[in-house]
């Protein structure tokens, strides 16, 4: 399984990194194509949490969904951290991305926040 760490700049200017594994690497390179691979192994690691109870920085990200065109139901979701504010602002709610031969659309954009 491929694991890559990408440079992430927080809203306050703190530079850290986000981790993407397996299919997450393809998602990252599609949604955030200009993201830099992190070359600072000691930089803070910011993770996208599934829980609101997590502590620390939750990076800005987009939630992507794959929809069954016959039924209109969601059949898959992915969360992809977006490295810069400029790229985050450039992504529109109507954008779609082709990842692994499947079409994913933006369900929502989630701003950066601190879990306490």
């Amino acid at each position: 399984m491929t694991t890559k760490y990408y440079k992430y700049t927080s809203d306050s200017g703190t530079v850290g990194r986000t981790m993407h594994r397996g299919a997450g690497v393809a998602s990252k390179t599609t949604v955030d194509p200009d993201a830099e691979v992190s070359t600072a192994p000691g930089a803070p690691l910011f993770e996208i949490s599934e829980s609101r109870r997590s502590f620390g920085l939750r990076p800005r990200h987009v939630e992507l969904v794959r929809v069954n065109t016959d039924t209109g139901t969601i059949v898959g979701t992915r969360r992809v951290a977006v490295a810069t504010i400029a790229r985050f602002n450039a992504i529109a709610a109507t954008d779609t991305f082709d990842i692994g031969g499947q079409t994913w659309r933006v369900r929502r954009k989630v701003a950066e926040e601190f879990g306490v």
Side-chain angles (χ1 to χ4, degrees), residues 5-10 13-19 36-46 57 83:
Y5 294 89
Y6 290 90
K7 183 178 175 182
Y8 177 86
T9 305
S10 72
T14 302
V15 176
R17 58 200 171 112
T18 57
M19 179 178 65
E36 300 174 42
V37 173
S38 176
T39 56
L45 181 62
F46 304 131
L57 179 79

Side-chain angles (χ1 to χ4, degrees), residues 15-78:
V15 176
R17 58 200 171 112
T18 57
M19 179 178 65
H20 299 270
R21 290 187 180 146
V25 173
S27 299
K28 178 69 174 175
T29 56
T30 302
V31 173
D32 199 1
D34 296 328
E36 300 174 42
V37 173
S38 176
T39 56
L45 181 62
F46 304 131
E47 297 185 51
I48 298 177
S49 174
E50 300 293 323
S51 168
R52 290 247 177 231
R53 293 182 175 193
S54 68
F55 294 93
L57 179 79
R58 289 190 288 263
R60 75 186 81 77
H61 63 278
V62 291
E63 184 176 308
L64 304 177
V65 293
R66 194 165 45 91
V67 177
N68 180 322
T69 55
D70 295 332
T71 63
T73 58
I74 294 173
V75 294
T77 62
R78 290 186 180 184

Side-chain angles (χ1 to χ4, degrees), residues 88-106:
F88 184 73
N89 291 337
I91 296 172
T94 57
D95 284 351
T96 59
F97 299 97
D98 183 37
I99 303 167
Q102 298 173 328
T103 301
W104 294 78
R105 67 177 177 86
V106 175

